[in-house]
Amino acid sequence: MAAQPANNPVAYLNGLYLPLEEARISPLDRGFLFADGVYEVIPCYNGRPFRLKQHIERLIRSLDAILLPSPHTETEWTDLLNGLVQRNGGGHQSLYVQVTRGAPTLRDHRFPDHGPATVFALSQTLEDPESRLLDAETGIRAMTCADTRWSHCDIKSVALLANVLLRHEARQAGCDEAILIRDGHVTEGATSNIFVVQKGELLTPPLGPHILDGITRDLVIELAQQYEIPVREAPIAETQLAQADEIWISSSTRGARPVVLLDGQPVGDGRPGALWRTMAEHYAAFRQALMQ
Ligand code: PDD
């Protein structure tokens, strides 16, 4: 199959690979009308989806949580997504896959009695991970915001309006990410999980209904355990942020990134911290090993 140039990407829609610009979804699709669907974002390096199994397992968990039977088995999801990566020419890509409760003939809150789910996937170019590592040397700016989202943030739902507004608020304030606070404690970022380094220990809020079980979060914990970096899942009070030696965000498209400025105040000495540097090296080595 010929590789597609980045400006003419191939998408997947309900069983067909087709040029993205030709993909059409009904305005009655429940994803459009009700945000009644779930999604995944999966990074691919050198044409290989990274932690694909974990992403597919989480997709199926999200589908279960919204009572939508998975339209594909794990093997079918794997083939479908690998097929999309190949048709887009391999290399570094960010895959997006969305499943909604389909497009019945009427707008009705009630679940449709039957009818297929809508499955849509697309690929976007992902920058070279090594250049991202260098960019990250400068660190990012963040601000704290009240977590105004619902109580099922563990579902990777396409209902992202609160996240979009929070990210916009952060951007308006010259920040790259919003760190969300609920009942005096950190939940996660508007588009990422949060880690804090305090007295040499890496902390991240425990999983629960207010947090997405991030695939990158999981890998960071796994790497910390492997390299004997003290790591603990524990509630993080908002007040702990001001005393943190380091703060990181983590997500599939950004890996682990250091926050150097929080609410206008430097985090630690205002530069990416030593533990982040160590983790970034382990992370890059882990990724490199899979990319061979
Ligand atoms: N979002 N928490 C939220 C609210 C997120 O949106 C994301 C990632 C994460 C990190 O999860 P992971 O490590 O599995 O990517 C945590 C993706 C990248 C997005 O919506 O584009």
Side-chain angles (χ1 to χ4, degrees), residues 8 21 30 34 38-39 81 102-103 121 125 133 147 173 198 201 205 211 216 224 236 238 258 266 273 276 284 291:
N8 187 18
E21 59 190 18
R30 293 179 64 93
F34 299 116
V38 296
Y39 77 105
L81 292 168
T125 308
L133 193 63
D147 192 341
Q198 234 181 356
E201 189 181 34
I211 291 174
T216 320
I236 298 172
E238 181 180 7
W276 171 76
M291 279 164 47

Side-chain angles (χ1 to χ4, degrees), residues 247-259:
I247 299 173
W248 313 342
I249 65 162
S250 74
S251 83
S252 289
T253 43
R254 287 169 296 179
R257 294 258 183 136
V259 176

